[in-house]
Amino acid sequence: PIWSILPLRIPKASERIDPPLVDVYVEGGIRDGRDCNRFEAEAIADEIVSILTDERFAKRTLGVVSLLGMEQAKYIDSMVRQRCSATELLHRKFECGDARTFQGSERDIMFLSLVVDQNNCKALSGNMFEQRFNVAASRARDRMYLFRSVTSSHLSDRDLRHRSEEHT
């Protein structure tokens, strides 16, 4: 079957954030032995700080999904909590985790960290990965940020991450 991203809801004009999908290539990002990509984590934390100070996003909820396990999510969570007000993060329902963390819940703005780098990216394919990726990609109500340290040339055509990049 052909994999595609289909919107589950169409937001009202007042809710809409354009563009709904933001692709962020993080140059020099490297996946370490603990499955962390510190460059991606830093870029995500910077963007969250920016969103929290932007009035246009004042009531938007936020979440971060790491596609490669919990270590990246824990690292991003720690970095964001060091930089941002705990009260504000609570108000925004801020949470970091893997796809399972967000099973059954959504956020207005979601950040998706691919974690992998150009030297360290085995293909993600098959039913389990497809399900995990679908959960992660469908948790954003109004905007999804895709943070990646690879280009499509580093990914197999079968790889779900390659197909997500084609939508940006």
Side-chain angles (χ1 to χ4, degrees):
I2 296 176
W3 185 84
S4 62
I5 296 175
L6 299 173
L8 296 177
R9 74 176 187 93
I10 305 297
K12 298 177 211 161
S14 62
E15 297 171 329
R16 188 169 174 86
I17 304 175
D18 284 318
L21 178 59
V22 177
D23 178 42
V24 180
Y25 175 67
V26 180
E27 194 164 340
I30 297 171
R31 172 184 171 190
D32 67 19
R34 294 179 359 141
D35 288 336
C36 283
N37 184 321
R38 297 183 190 285
F39 284 70
E40 280 184 22
E42 183 80 32
I44 289 169
D46 288 346
E47 188 63 25
I48 289 172
V49 168
S50 177
I51 284 172
L52 292 178
T53 59
D54 189 328
E55 284 298 313
R56 296 173 300 160
F57 304 114
K59 297 183 190 275
R60 305 290 181 154
T61 57
L62 306 171
V64 179
V65 172
S66 167
L67 273 186
L68 204 58
M70 288 299 290
E71 288 306 313
Q72 177 79 347
K74 289 177 192 172
Y75 186 70
I76 294 168
D77 186 72
S78 170
M79 193 175 276
V80 170
R81 291 183 189 284
Q82 287 174 13
R83 297 180 183 188
C84 303
S85 152
T87 303
E88 185 64 19
L89 293 173
L90 185 63
H91 173 70
R92 301 302 188 98
K93 298 182 181 174
F94 176 74
E95 191 164 6
C96 288
D98 61 8
R100 291 179 299 231
T101 303
F102 291 93
Q103 186 75 42
S105 68
E106 298 174 319
R107 297 295 185 273
D108 296 322
I109 300 172
M110 287 295 299
F111 298 84
L112 190 58
S113 177
L114 295 189
V115 184
V116 296
D117 62 36
Q118 61 190 0
N119 300 313
N120 208 347
C121 58
K122 289 186 215 167
L124 292 183
S125 60
N127 204 20
M128 179 183 74
F129 288 113
E130 206 161 307
Q131 223 172 11
R132 188 182 300 170
F133 193 88
N134 183 47
V135 168
S138 64
R139 301 301 93 186
R141 284 190 197 106
D142 300 313
R143 175 177 277 175
M144 182 175 85
Y145 285 86
L146 178 64
F147 283 79
R148 60 186 176 81
S149 300
V150 293
T151 62
S152 59
S153 65
H154 296 113
L155 300 171
S156 155
D157 288 341
R158 291 184 1 254
D159 196 304
L160 296 168
R161 296 167 297 201
H162 182 272
R163 291 185 248 164
S164 70
E165 187 181 329
E166 292 172 350
H167 286 278
T168 59

